């Protein structure tokens, strides 16, 4: 009976995520509908990003300066040029804004970028799967039901504007309806020789043109 009462008291929280646009540069949209009113609490989503996709910290800083996106990256130092096979996964804490059309609904979007993958044998694309985000609440002045919410180990402030620590709470929720999948074009191994030959030929031709122009117009 106690279990049934707890389940009845803890209304389902739902989360959905969607990859917008096409190509290597996309927007990740996260939506959350809480089972109860947030009551002035900060709402966020902890999104695990696999090694095949990343958020550009410099782009993120620019967006935050213009108050377009609020988020924290772990780690905060990222090699944006690294290919998928030498990169590591990231954790994005994305602060959500209230949806004006729904008092219990929150949403936020952030640009994400796909990394280059190794050439494959036969396959023309690689698949990058994004798991379901974790819904987080930080209530500095509110009270959360202990049956529905439990402390979460998240080393992030209550907002992107402060650095003071915050106690986040998480709840069990219905995951995203399906894992978001990003399809990334990859090269074919059998084209390696052709690509190397064309690259070498193009590099040699461009170097010769630059040298010729330097000899003709340069002052030595």
């Amino acid at each position: 009976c106690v279990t049934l009462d707890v389940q009845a008291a803890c209304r389902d929280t739902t989360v959905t995520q969607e990859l917008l646009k096409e190509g290597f540069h996309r927007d990740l949209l996260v939506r959350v509908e809480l089972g109860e009113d947030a009551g002035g609490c900060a709402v966020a989503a902890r999104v695990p990003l696999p090694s095949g996709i990343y958020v550009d910290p410099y782009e993120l800083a620019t967006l935050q300066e213009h108050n377009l996106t609020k988020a924290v990256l772990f780690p905060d130092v990222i090699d944006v040029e690294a290919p998928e096979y030498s990169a590591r996964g990231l954790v994005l804490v994305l602060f959500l804004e209230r949806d004006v059309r729904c008092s219990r609904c929150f949403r936020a979007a952030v640009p994400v970028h796909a990394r280059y993958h190794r050439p494959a044998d036969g396959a023309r694309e690689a698949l990058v799967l994004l798991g379901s985000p974790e819904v987080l609440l930080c209530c500095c002045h509110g009270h959360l039901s202990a049956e529905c919410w439990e402390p979460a180990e998240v080393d992030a402030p209550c907002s992107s504007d402060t650095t003071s620590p915050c106690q986040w709470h998480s709840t069990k929720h219905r995951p995203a309806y399906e894992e978001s999948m990003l399809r990334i074009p990859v090269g074919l191994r059998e084209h390696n020789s052709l690509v190397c030959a064309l690259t070498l030929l193009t590099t040699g031709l461009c170097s010769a043109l630059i040298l010729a122009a330097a000899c003709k117009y340069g002052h030595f």
Side-chain angles (χ1 to χ4, degrees):
C1 293
V2 175
T3 302
L4 292 177
D5 291 340
V6 170
Q7 291 178 347
C10 303
R11 298 179 181 176
D12 283 340
T13 291
T14 60
V15 56
T16 60
Q17 62 181 353
E18 184 179 359
L19 285 168
L20 309 177
K21 302 180 180 178
E22 298 292 335
F24 278 77
H25 309 288
R26 313 287 286 271
D27 283 341
L28 176 63
L29 173 63
V30 178
R31 298 189 187 94
V32 168
E33 182 175 353
L34 298 177
E36 57 185 292
D37 195 292
C41 301
V43 182
R46 180 164 58 178
V47 185
L49 299 178
S51 59
I53 194 171
Y54 69 95
V55 174
D56 187 333
Y58 307 105
E59 181 182 25
L60 182 60
T62 300
L63 292 172
Q64 296 197 125
E65 286 179 2
H66 294 85
N67 203 31
L68 298 176
T69 297
K70 296 181 179 181
V72 177
L73 274 174
F74 300 97
D76 56 357
V77 177
I78 300 170
D79 185 356
V80 298
E81 301 294 338
E84 178 272 339
Y85 47 84
S86 64
R88 56 176 177 169
L90 308 170
V91 174
L92 172 71
V93 176
L94 183 60
F95 300 99
L96 308 182
E97 299 289 340
R98 187 185 298 273
D99 192 330
V100 295
R101 297 168 296 181
C102 173
S103 62
R104 294 185 291 109
C105 301
F106 296 80
R107 56 181 290 160
V110 64
V112 295
H113 309 276
R115 294 188 184 273
Y116 290 104
H117 286 60
R118 290 184 187 274
D121 293 318
R124 294 183 177 271
E125 60 184 17
L127 301 180
V128 176
L129 296 178
L130 278 71
S132 181
E134 179 184 4
V135 180
L136 302 171
L137 258 68
C138 175
C139 298
C140 298
H141 306 292
H143 175 71
L144 291 174
S145 171
E147 294 85 1
C148 305
W149 298 85
E150 59 183 18
E153 295 182 3
V154 179
D155 185 19
C158 275
S159 73
S160 60
D161 301 324
T162 64
T163 57
S164 57
C166 175
Q167 176 60 67
W168 290 94
H169 291 76
S170 64
T171 183
K172 294 182 179 180
H173 60 81
R174 283 183 286 169
Y177 298 128
E178 59 182 16
E179 291 181 316
S180 296
M181 181 183 299
L182 180 62
R183 298 179 180 272
I184 302 174
V186 297
L188 299 177
R189 291 186 187 276
E190 54 264 34
H191 294 166
N192 278 357
S193 299
L194 177 61
V195 171
C196 290
L198 290 176
T199 301
L200 182 61
L201 179 62
T202 303
T203 303
L205 178 60
C206 292
S207 300
L209 291 174
I210 294 173
L211 182 60
C215 293
K216 183 176 181 180
Y217 302 105
H219 300 282
F220 300 97

